[in-house]
């Protein structure tokens, strides 16, 4: 899956409309729509005869920041689907349209986004003081454009700015901090435990192992492509940001369900929102009388056509259509 994009549901629901409303109903619903892989389709793609631009980053072992930075910059209008060139050759880097995480230069006027050079102290601003990585630099300069394009609204729309800050706080800042070796806590004491499952660690594990017989640049670039896909999919998976937005926008009562399209079956899912990002308990599980039922039996019980399943735990269910999933969510609120 390439992306899971959080959008709010209007009272007259349309799957690709973005707006935030306080409903007279007990709850607001969030719609989450999916798109696909490394061939991102923007609202307006470049003409076929225009050669794709080239974006450079270093070869060798890669990290989360340049993988994510390359993924993000390829979502922009100027660098749509750009070719990634992995090199440390300074003469070659000079010929490229943009350069990330290598070259020793931060100059957005020339699309140079390195952060390793002496004296670099750039931060995101807006109250954030963590030094930026190459991913943070790309996000700082292109984040609003990317968000606006995904939401299909103007870049000056107020919701774009809200998401711009929320995504940095809940996702990007950690990547900047980890890449720059900034401790999460102000203490000299060692951590109580080690977490090697965060995104930066998982991206790092995609590097070729030294025991692999094929250490060619082709194999290394294939691994980097997987790293870009992993980092990019999590950047566009905005479920965690729901909690940030809910708090900022003072949505009350809290959101109970999200709807999203399953990328494999093309059916729709209704999922209960957890009480917190790190908790398994849901704010409102799907009704107990629906749990464990499937297909016609479930449709008969709910009175909603096209039902597919409801999990035994009640945290998720499915329907063949968006309208059916929405009806399940609305019905569940009444039970």
């Amino acid at each position: 899956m390439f992306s899971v994009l959080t959008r709010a549901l209007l009272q007259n629901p349309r799957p690709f409309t973005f707006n935030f409303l306080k409903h007279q109903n007990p709850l607001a619903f969030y719609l989450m729509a999916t798109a696909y892989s490394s061939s991102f389709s923007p609202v307006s793609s470049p003409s076929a005869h225009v050669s794709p631009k080239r974006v450079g980053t270093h070869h060798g072992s890669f990290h989360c920041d340049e993988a994510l930075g390359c993924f993000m910059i390829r979502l922009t209008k100027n660098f749509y689907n750009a070719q990634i060139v992995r090199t440390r050759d300074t003469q070659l880097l000079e010929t490229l349209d943009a350069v990330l995480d290598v070259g020793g230069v931060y100059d957005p006027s020339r699309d140079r986004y390195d952060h390793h050079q002496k004296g670099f102290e750039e931060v995101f601003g807006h109250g954030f003081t963590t030094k930026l990585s190459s991913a943070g630099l790309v996000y700082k300069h292109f984040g609003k454009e990317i968000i606006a394009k995904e939401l299909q609204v103007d870049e000056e729309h107020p919701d774009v700015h809200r998401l711009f800050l929320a995504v940095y706080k809940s996702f990007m800042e950690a990547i900047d901090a980890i890449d720059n070796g900034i401790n999460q806590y102000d203490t000299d004491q060692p951590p109580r435990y080690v977490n090697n499952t965060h995104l930066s660690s998982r991206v790092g594990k995609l590097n070729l192992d030294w025991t692999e017989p094929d250490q060619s640049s082709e194999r290394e670039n294939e691994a980097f492509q997987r790293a870009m896909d992993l980092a990019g999919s999590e950047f566009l998976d905005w479920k965690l940001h729901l909690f940030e937005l809910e708090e900022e926008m003072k949505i009350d009562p809290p959101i109970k369900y999200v709807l999203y399209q399953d990328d494999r079956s093309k059916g729709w899912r209704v999922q209960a929102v957890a009480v917190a990002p790190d908790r398994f308990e849901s704010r409102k599980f799907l009704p107990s009388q629906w749990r464990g039922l499937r297909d016609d039996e479930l449709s008969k019980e709910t009175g909603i056509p096209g039902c597919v399943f409801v999990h035994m735990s009640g945290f998720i269910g499915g329907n063949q259509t968006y309208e059916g999933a929405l009806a399940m969510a609305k019905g569940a609120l009444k039970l």
Side-chain angles (χ1 to χ4, degrees):
M1 182 178 65
F2 177 85
S3 71
V4 182
L5 174 62
T6 302
R7 305 179 183 192
L9 177 66
L10 297 173
Q11 286 178 326
N12 179 22
R14 292 186 300 151
F16 300 106
T17 301
F18 179 83
N19 201 351
F20 287 96
L21 297 176
K22 286 198 171 183
H23 294 261
Q24 298 303 315
N25 297 336
L27 299 165
F29 294 97
Y30 269 64
L31 170 67
M32 309 177 77
T34 59
Y36 282 92
S37 176
S38 50
S39 57
F40 169 81
S41 298
V43 175
S44 58
S45 59
S47 302
H49 67 273
V50 177
S51 299
K53 292 189 175 181
R54 298 189 299 166
V55 172
T57 190
H58 61 82
H59 66 265
S61 295
F62 51 78
H63 303 94
C64 185
D65 71 315
E66 73 264 24
L68 178 57
C70 287
F71 179 92
M72 289 191 296
I73 203 168
R74 295 174 80 239
L75 301 183
T76 66
K77 181 179 179 180
N78 285 343
F79 297 99
Y80 168 82
N81 238 8
Q83 177 188 355
I84 302 300
V85 179
R86 302 184 68 237
T87 182
R88 294 184 186 273
D89 185 321
T90 55
Q91 291 184 336
L92 177 55
L93 289 173
E94 282 296 320
T95 69
L96 302 179
D97 299 290
V99 176
L100 281 62
D101 208 48
V102 69
V105 176
Y106 168 51
D107 183 356
S109 69
R110 297 195 293 125
D111 288 307
R112 265 45 186 172
Y113 303 103
D114 197 9
H115 67 113
H116 296 100
Q117 58 273 24
K118 184 177 180 180
F120 178 88
E121 297 293 340
E122 189 75 10
V123 299
F124 184 67
H126 307 284
F128 296 95
T129 59
T130 300
K131 188 164 71 170
L132 297 180
S133 66
S134 61
L137 288 172
V138 171
Y139 185 77
K140 179 172 182 173
H141 292 283
F142 298 101
K144 286 186 178 181
E145 177 190 342
I146 294 168
I147 291 169
K149 184 180 290 185
E150 286 287 334
L151 300 181
Q152 299 182 26
V153 298
D154 187 83
E155 196 171 322
E156 300 306 314
H157 193 290
D159 292 327
V160 170
H161 184 70
R162 291 191 185 100
L163 279 170
F164 182 58
L165 299 182
V167 171
Y168 187 78
K169 179 179 179 181
S170 63
F171 183 77
M172 293 297 308
E173 186 176 23
I175 292 170
D176 288 337
I178 290 170
D179 194 77
N180 284 301
I182 300 171
N183 290 327
Q184 189 173 7
Y185 303 103
D186 293 326
T187 176
D188 294 330
Q189 297 299 315
R192 292 180 180 270
Y193 61 90
V194 175
N195 179 8
N196 287 322
T197 62
H198 53 69
L199 178 60
S200 295
S201 175
R202 283 181 282 125
V203 167
K205 289 175 182 177
L206 293 176
N207 278 285
L208 299 181
D209 190 89
W210 68 273
T211 61
E212 291 190 30
D214 186 355
Q215 297 284 329
S216 65
S217 59
E218 290 79 8
R219 286 276 292 139
E220 188 179 275
N221 289 341
E222 289 172 3
F224 185 72
Q225 179 64 55
R226 291 193 294 272
M228 286 174 54
D229 291 341
L230 172 60
S233 66
E234 296 214 7
F235 167 66
L236 291 176
D237 185 353
W238 293 10
K239 285 183 282 189
L240 287 177
H241 311 318
L242 183 149
F243 295 94
E244 299 278 346
L245 294 170
E246 191 176 56
E247 179 180 355
E248 178 185 339
M249 299 174 68
K250 298 179 172 58
I251 295 175
D252 186 43
I255 298 162
K256 297 298 191 297
Y257 301 113
V258 296
L259 307 182
Y260 65 94
Q261 190 174 30
D262 181 73
D263 60 324
R264 290 170 295 182
S265 70
K266 305 304 181 185
W268 283 80
R269 300 287 182 259
V270 51
Q271 183 168 337
V273 176
V275 295
D278 57 350
R279 299 283 295 277
F280 291 110
E281 300 91 339
S282 296
R283 291 170 173 175
K284 185 175 178 62
F285 288 103
L286 293 171
S288 58
Q289 57 266 42
W290 298 0
R291 299 177 200 172
L293 301 182
R294 298 190 63 88
D295 303 323
D296 292 342
E297 186 179 9
L298 179 58
S299 291
K300 182 178 179 180
E301 177 64 34
T302 62
I304 301 168
C307 288
V308 178
F309 77 99
V310 169
H311 194 275
M312 284 293 297
S313 67
F315 85 98
I316 194 170
N319 195 285
Q320 295 173 7
T321 68
Y322 165 74
E323 291 77 13
L326 178 60
M328 291 175 70
K330 288 182 175 180
L333 290 174
K334 300 174 183 178
L335 298 176

